Amino acid sequence: MTDDTGLFEHARHAIVRREHGYCTDDIARGLVVTSREPDPPPSVLRLAECYLTFLTHAQDEKGAFHNRLGHDRRWSDDPGLGDWWGRALWGLGTAAAHSPASWIRDEAMLAFMLGATQRSPWRRAMAFAGLGAAEVLRANPDNQTAAALLADGAAAVGEPVESGDWWWPEDRLTYANAALAEVVIAAGDLGGDSGLLTTGLRMLEWLRDVQLNDGRLSVIPAPGFRRDGERVRHDQQPIEVASFADACATAAAVTGESKWETGVGQAAAWFMGDNDTGTPMWDPSTGGSYDGLTPVGPNRNQGAESTLALISTLQHARRLS
């Protein structure tokens, strides 16, 4: 799904839909997974360089990012600080910390440092940016710009609301929920704040319990879940599974507790068919992930977001095994 410009966003079944173009959100995810790959072959480094080039082209002189580029190579939006800004910093921070190629690390760090001067008014955008800052801090604990961004990312999440069996900073679970817990865990760990770390771990544990159904992972679906509302099971998105796996992998690294490794395993098993319909959520013939789990089985489209979610989850499972 990648050409010389970037990663296409959508597919019908396994065939790219060029008319939908590219988006910074997905290309940032692509940079995360290519940068995480241990001992990457030249083909993976070429993908990482392509994705990094796209992100630096998307960034303006103040550190904001465009999100949508058409197949005609024209931007259809103005630079902004939405989720795509946060995900871009996540990708850039991961590349700056982990890429084995010095030219990728150096360019990614320059773009990260520029973007990290900005702040978004959106909770999830700040959480994603904070996760990129955490990657930079793990590699360079003295980076004060990254430390400030991580602290602000955790602060943007807010304090959990305690009401009966509800323990979350929002009245409604929507998307990328586990990223909120993960950035609080990372900020508590890297900032030496045991209280914050305990809060993040408790958030993730509560979210895990909400997302288990007879011992199998059943992530919050696209309609969301409001406190005191009806808990529906469809349509579940692969990106939610990957978000949960990311957070569990971070919690496992911080605490050494096996229950978080179990969480990563449950996320990987969701793709293999241990889900609410007992259906594999990937296509062995293409390596792609299906876009969603409906009441009657998978949505057979294999877009970039879903396939990257599969790859990301299996990377964690492979490392922990």
Side-chain angles (χ1 to χ4, degrees):
M1 294 186 70
T2 299
D3 65 2
D4 59 354
T5 296
L7 178 67
F8 287 103
E9 182 177 9
H10 291 299
R12 183 168 59 211
H13 297 154
I15 303 302
V16 165
R17 300 294 298 275
R18 289 193 174 96
E19 66 270 27
H20 295 293
Y22 320 82
C23 74
T24 293
D25 269 321
D26 286 341
I27 289 171
R29 294 181 179 109
L31 186 57
V32 169
V33 300
T34 53
S35 299
R36 281 177 179 168
E37 191 64 19
D39 193 23
S43 59
V44 172
L45 283 179
R46 286 194 295 272
L47 289 175
E49 187 170 358
C50 176
Y51 301 154
L52 175 59
T53 300
F54 184 99
L55 294 182
T56 57
H57 178 54
Q59 190 176 38
D60 73 3
E61 68 279 0
K62 295 181 180 179
F65 288 83
H66 292 278
N67 188 32
R68 298 199 171 276
L69 183 72
H71 191 232
D72 61 359
R73 302 339 189 236
R74 295 178 183 272
W75 295 109
S76 62
D77 62 351
D78 295 324
L81 300 173
D83 284 357
W84 58 93
W85 164 82
R87 289 195 178 100
L89 292 188
W90 189 359
L92 292 168
T94 304
H98 296 292
S99 177
S102 61
W103 68 91
I104 291 178
R105 292 196 307 273
D106 293 346
E107 183 64 20
M109 182 61 80
L110 285 173
F112 172 85
M113 292 295 285
L114 175 61
T117 63
Q118 298 292 331
R119 295 294 184 270
S120 173
W122 305 108
R123 174 185 274 125
R124 280 165 175 74
M126 287 297 295
F128 300 143
L131 293 175
E135 295 289 2
V136 171
L137 276 176
R138 292 181 185 113
N140 180 6
D142 295 328
N143 189 309
Q144 294 304 305
T145 299
L149 180 57
L150 176 57
D152 288 347
V157 171
E159 292 292 327
V161 175
E162 297 189 62
S163 178
D165 59 357
W166 191 267
W167 210 86
W168 196 252
E170 303 168 301
D171 288 333
R172 180 169 176 259
L173 294 168
T174 55
Y175 66 96
N177 301 295
L180 303 186
E182 185 182 3
V183 76
V184 174
I185 292 169
D189 175 47
L190 294 168
D193 187 332
S194 60
L196 195 61
L197 174 58
T198 298
T199 296
L201 291 168
R202 185 177 173 190
M203 285 173 61
L204 183 57
E205 189 164 19
W206 178 85
L207 181 65
R208 178 203 61 192
D209 292 345
V210 169
Q211 295 190 135
L212 288 179
N213 184 24
D214 292 333
R216 70 176 66 88
L217 187 62
S218 179
V219 293
I220 300 301
F225 174 42
R226 185 175 296 279
R227 185 174 60 180
D228 300 326
E230 180 184 1
R231 173 73 161 91
V232 298
R233 300 289 174 183
H234 307 286
D235 296 300
Q236 295 177 37
Q237 307 293 306
I239 193 61
E240 297 307 312
V241 179
S243 178
F244 179 70
D246 281 339
C248 287
T250 294
V254 168
T255 68
E257 294 177 350
S258 62
K259 65 183 178 182
W260 301 120
E261 295 183 14
T262 298
V264 172
Q266 289 167 324
W270 184 93
F271 284 101
M272 300 302 112
D274 191 15
N275 51 52
D276 286 332
T277 65
T279 307
M281 284 298 295
W282 72 297
D283 182 349
S285 64
T286 64
S289 170
Y290 301 127
D291 278 356
L293 183 62
T294 77
V296 294
N299 172 343
R300 297 285 176 178
N301 294 336
Q302 299 172 33
E305 175 188 285
S306 301
T307 296
L308 290 168
L310 168 67
I311 294 170
S312 174
T313 300
L314 295 183
Q315 283 177 325
H316 288 310
R318 177 185 60 192
R319 180 175 57 82
L320 290 175
S321 65

